[in-house]
Amino acid sequence: MNSKELSNGILRALAIALGIAILLYFIFKIQSVIVYIAISVVISLTGRPIVRFLRDRLKFNNLVAVAVTMVILLGFIAGLVGLFIPLLVEQGQNLSLLNIDSLQGSIQNLYNQAASHFNMNDLHVQETLKESGLFSTINFALIPELLNAIFSGLGSFSIGLFSVLFISFFFLKDSKLFENSLLALIPDNKINRVKKSIDKIKNLLSRYFVGLVFQITVLFVIYTTGLLIVGVQNAVVIAFLCALINLIPYLGPVIGGLIMILLTMTSNLDASFSDVILPETLYVLIVISVGQLIDNFFSQPIIFSRSVKSHPLEIFLVIIIAGLLFGIVGMVVAIPAYTAIKVILKEFLSDNKIVQSLTKNI
């Protein structure tokens, strides 16, 4: 190899590296648009069965079917806004008038009652906490600041919501739009295989996302019914929030349960710990347990076995690995991404024994 070929190789490598760097920078700058498109794909896959039902069973025109589906989705979003916004406004007004010292004293009093009820005085826990100054170091004034930050983000949320709904409408109206855009980058000799993969991925993920809606609905009904029976304030909002958090595999139920218990215990700080707070907390624990038992032994097996068609151990390992690599976001997208990868591997590497073993049910 002479010096000219070597220099040309170096220049080519630098050009490729520069091109990759520019591409990554471009992706970084438009990351919000990519997120909008990803959310729109999920919404279109979730609304796809509704459009097909309206179009094929009720003989609606495609445009009318898409419009009705979007109205249903908008109604669902409006219901969520109507559910949460009044609560946030009410809590914002309360927090703006809140005496932070009074809140700190109420929480200290709740702890004292709990310590007295469980005979924690003998363990010198109270003295240890007083010496550490834990309650004095907690900045309760951050609560109103956090709420103000939420309100300030409503503007960008509105823009994002409009963008997502706009993109979702066209994805539902022209189901081939995203597919055709992708196929434009594929060599002609592989287009048929890619088309088959895309169709299969859309069918599997559509069933998966519909299954997740079913899972949230079941948990929401169980949590709402239980919390209303117990008499917890804002039961509907708490139930929906905890059901939604349950979408995070393995960690979601724990986080949702802790939030439910915390909101229950702090909803009435002036009440007696032994007579009111502790019994309510125990009842809420029972509600959480019933919800999780039904979810683990009924909802999840249906979703995983009938939609993504993967073994529970296989799903567990994929979620754990994705969580270690990419955190909570990785855990949430692990199953859809793994399902898409399996379909692609089966289409292009069907002769491989490992691929045959992993994709035998697809």
Side-chain angles (χ1 to χ4, degrees), residues 6 15 31 287 307 330:
L6 180 61
Q31 56 182 320
V287 172
S307 59

Side-chain angles (χ1 to χ4, degrees), residues 21-53:
I22 294 174
L23 178 62
L24 292 176
Y25 177 75
F26 178 73
I27 293 174
F28 173 76
K29 296 299 289 186
I30 65 166
Q31 56 182 320
S32 58
V33 178
I34 296 174
V35 172
Y36 296 158
I37 294 174
I39 296 174
S40 300
V41 170
V42 173
I43 292 176
S44 63
L45 288 174
T46 305
R48 189 165 172 256
I50 302 176
V51 173
R52 294 175 64 178
F53 174 79

